[in-house]
Amino acid sequence: MAEKHPRDRQRGRVYSWEQLYVYSPWRNNTQLTRPEIEQLIQKVWKRVVHDNNPPTFKFSPRLRHNAGWATATNIALNPDYPLRSIVLHEIAHSILDKLFHKKFAWHGSTFLALYIQLLVKESGFKKRPLIRGAREWGLIVKDNKSLHQLMDG
């Protein structure tokens, strides 16, 4: 039987939290071009994963109901949503899949901690309001020292 991620209990709440705290039009949430997306993926991947083989990026028009998806080797985005925060969301998935292969829930506390750190470092979001908002939505955000070391490495 194929290995699976643990149950994704926070998914719906993460998406709701993102709508209010991340995707709102007054946030630093610029649309990116393909070269900017590829550059962002490469930059974050090199800094966090410490290797020169970032996931392959593509726009996928078949993603009608999702903004994107990611694995350790691929990131795909709906071409209607090339937002910096969505790219960072998918990069966080890709990093966790690469480093911890299916150990964590897709939108669990470790994912959310990494995603928030990426939003802070790569988009200028303020960490405390993001964490406070996430907790108000009933989300668990893991304060993981090893993730801080990854991000500062």
Side-chain angles (χ1 to χ4, degrees):
M1 190 167 150
E3 188 179 0
K4 291 183 174 181
H5 286 272
R7 188 162 179 216
D8 196 1
R9 300 174 195 270
Q10 295 196 141
R11 181 178 176 212
R13 284 177 288 166
V14 166
Y15 293 161
S16 296
W17 165 80
E18 282 179 313
Q19 289 296 323
L20 187 60
Y21 288 90
V22 180
Y23 301 152
S24 298
W26 59 88
R27 306 282 183 204
N28 182 8
N29 204 13
T30 54
Q31 288 200 351
L32 302 177
T33 64
R34 179 187 200 91
E36 290 170 328
I37 291 168
E38 290 170 338
Q39 184 177 31
L40 181 60
I41 291 169
Q42 190 162 12
K43 173 186 166 189
V44 173
W45 195 262
K46 195 174 215 175
R47 182 166 46 85
V48 179
V49 180
H50 306 290
D51 88 24
N52 291 319
N53 298 308
T56 303
F57 169 73
K58 70 176 181 178
F59 281 118
S60 180
R62 288 190 272 166
L63 287 170
R64 293 186 187 132
H65 302 293
N66 294 7
W69 62 263
T71 66
T73 56
N74 296 289
I75 293 177
L77 289 180
N78 181 323
D80 294 334
Y81 303 108
L83 299 176
R84 176 178 286 277
S85 57
I86 292 173
V87 175
L88 293 171
H89 179 120
E90 300 308 333
I91 291 172
H93 282 310
S94 187
I95 289 170
L96 289 179
D97 196 38
K98 170 74 173 178
L99 298 178
F100 303 107
H101 187 67
K102 299 187 180 182
K103 183 177 177 184
F104 300 108
W106 271 120
H107 296 91
S109 60
T110 302
F111 162 79
L112 197 52
L114 177 58
Y115 178 39
I116 286 172
Q117 288 179 3
L118 291 176
L119 288 169
V120 169
K121 289 200 176 265
E122 299 299 331
S123 285
F125 281 79
K126 302 290 183 209
K127 186 175 182 177
R128 288 181 197 261
L130 288 175
I131 291 174
R132 190 177 329 114
R135 290 186 174 142
E136 286 172 7
W137 276 90
L139 295 166
I140 299 168
V141 182
K142 190 169 199 167
D143 188 19
N144 189 324
K145 289 181 183 175
S146 63
L147 282 179
H148 292 288
Q149 290 169 346
L150 270 178
M151 292 298 296
D152 295 333

